[in-house]
């Protein structure tokens, strides 16, 4: 999943949120530097990604993308799911998306000194361009995919992915609603399990 989904699936826990958003930037033994809440957030992020990558509904969505975008289809579906989450935000949260995004940035700011430089560099752009809020728009995910496309070694064509979204929006939306319901249930249960294992509440 992408940043908005990982933020939402932190379920209002500040430390979990920090770990969940920064997990991809924390490698190997670095995980041992963090307190229990952030550690659980990192582990939760990894569980969410594993669940997502192996889910048949996600693979069904990627089947629309794979002929054109090959292994980049995984990244693209993550961003598409943030688009549908943002677009349908009021179905999932009573907090307005703009307020949720601002609260997320404030929480990360309070813990930023703990996080790797690679995350800090990315976060400057996330906050200044308000990615979490703008993922709900085609223009927002177009910018995100343009940026990813520029950073790939090979010609990924990820910048062209919104064309497929516009062609297949109804199909992707059906997949998103069915999948995200299962993912949210999984993430809530997994968070409780991790809290029990690591003695955090």
């Amino acid at each position: 999943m992408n940043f908005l989904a990982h933020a939402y699936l932190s379920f209002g826990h500040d430390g979990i949120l920090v770990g969940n958003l920064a997990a991809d930037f924390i490698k190997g033994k670095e995980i041992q530097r963090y307190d229990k809440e952030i550690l659980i957030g990192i582990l939760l992020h990894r569980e969410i990604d594993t669940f997502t990558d192996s889910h048949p509904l996600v693979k069904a969505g990627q089947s629309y993308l794979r002929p054109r975008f090959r292994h980049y289809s995984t990244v693209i579906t993550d961003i598409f799911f943030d688009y549908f989450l943002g677009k349908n935000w009021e179905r999932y949260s009573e907090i307005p998306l703009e307020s949720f995004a601002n609260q997320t940035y404030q929480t990360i700011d309070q813990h930023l000194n703990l996080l790797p430089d690679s995350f800090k560099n990315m976060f400057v752009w996330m906050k200044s361009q308000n990615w979490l809020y703008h993922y709900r728009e085609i223009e927002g995910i177009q910018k995100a995919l343009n940026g990813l496309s520029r950073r790939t070694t090979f010609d990924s064509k990820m910048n062209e992915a919104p064309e497929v979204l516009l062609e297949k929006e109804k199909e992707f939306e059906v997949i998103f609603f069915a999948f995200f319901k299962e993912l949210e249930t999984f993430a809530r249960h997994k968070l409780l399990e991790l809290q029990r294992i690591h003695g955090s509440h």
Side-chain angles (χ1 to χ4, degrees), residues 38-93:
I38 295 177
L39 169 67
I40 290 168
I42 295 167
L43 297 175
L44 179 62
H45 175 109
R46 293 174 181 175
E47 293 282 357
I48 287 167
D49 281 359
T50 300
F51 182 85
T52 301
D53 291 344
S54 61
H55 200 286
L57 282 169
V58 178
K59 290 183 183 298
Q62 289 167 357
S63 69
Y64 295 119
L65 297 161
R66 204 166 291 282
R68 188 165 169 185
F69 303 104
R70 303 182 307 282
H71 61 278
Y72 296 110
S73 303
T74 307
V75 179
I76 294 167
T77 48
D78 284 348
I79 291 176
F80 282 7
F81 287 163
D82 262 13
Y83 165 73
F84 288 113
L85 178 57
K87 182 182 167 192
N88 298 283
W89 183 257
E90 67 284 350
R91 291 176 62 146
Y92 297 98
S93 178

Side-chain angles (χ1 to χ4, degrees), residues 6-198:
H6 279 295
Y8 172 76
L9 294 170
S10 300
F11 305 113
H13 300 276
D14 286 358
I16 305 293
L17 172 69
V18 173
N20 210 340
L21 283 193
D24 284 339
F25 298 82
I26 298 167
K27 307 298 181 187
K29 292 182 179 177
E30 290 176 21
I31 192 173
Q32 297 166 8
R33 295 175 39 220
Y34 295 96
D35 67 24
K36 285 179 184 176
E37 283 279 296
I38 295 177
L39 169 67
I40 290 168
I42 295 167
L43 297 175
L44 179 62
H45 175 109
R46 293 174 181 175
E47 293 282 357
I48 287 167
D49 281 359
T50 300
F51 182 85
T52 301
D53 291 344
S54 61
H55 200 286
L57 282 169
V58 178
K59 290 183 183 298
Q62 289 167 357
S63 69
Y64 295 119
L65 297 161
R66 204 166 291 282
R68 188 165 169 185
F69 303 104
R70 303 182 307 282
H71 61 278
Y72 296 110
S73 303
T74 307
V75 179
I76 294 167
T77 48
D78 284 348
I79 291 176
F80 282 7
F81 287 163
D82 262 13
Y83 165 73
F84 288 113
L85 178 57
K87 182 182 167 192
N88 298 283
W89 183 257
E90 67 284 350
R91 291 176 62 146
Y92 297 98
S93 178
E94 294 178 359
I95 303 168
L97 179 56
E98 192 164 18
S99 301
F100 177 85
N102 289 331
Q103 288 170 17
T104 298
Y105 304 140
Q106 287 167 15
T107 300
I108 296 295
D109 271 330
Q110 289 162 10
H111 297 83
L112 202 55
N113 62 313
L114 302 172
L115 299 172
D117 288 343
S118 54
F119 178 84
K120 291 175 187 170
N121 294 337
M122 180 279 301
F123 183 68
V124 168
W125 294 103
M126 177 190 281
K127 183 181 172 184
S128 65
Q129 297 179 359
N130 200 357
W131 291 358
L132 298 180
Y133 182 66
H134 289 297
Y135 283 137
R136 77 194 205 291
E137 303 163 338
I138 292 288
E139 294 82 0
I141 63 165
Q142 180 73 67
K143 282 184 180 177
L145 288 160
N146 286 349
L148 287 167
S149 186
R150 283 195 298 271
R151 291 194 292 278
T152 56
T153 308
F154 303 102
D155 181 17
S156 67
K157 297 185 168 53
M158 280 193 282
N159 55 301
E160 298 173 10
E163 295 171 18
V164 183
L165 176 59
L166 290 170
E167 289 167 16
K168 299 283 187 184
E169 184 158 3
K170 283 189 170 58
E171 289 91 336
F172 277 114
E173 190 166 58
V174 168
I175 288 168
F176 169 77
F177 284 135
F179 167 68
F180 202 73
K181 184 178 181 182
E182 290 187 32
L183 177 62
E184 184 171 4
T185 300
F186 168 83
R188 286 187 188 279
H189 290 154
K190 186 56 67 174
L191 176 55
L192 289 172
E193 181 186 316
L194 290 168
Q195 287 172 328
R196 281 196 302 271
I197 292 168
H198 295 277

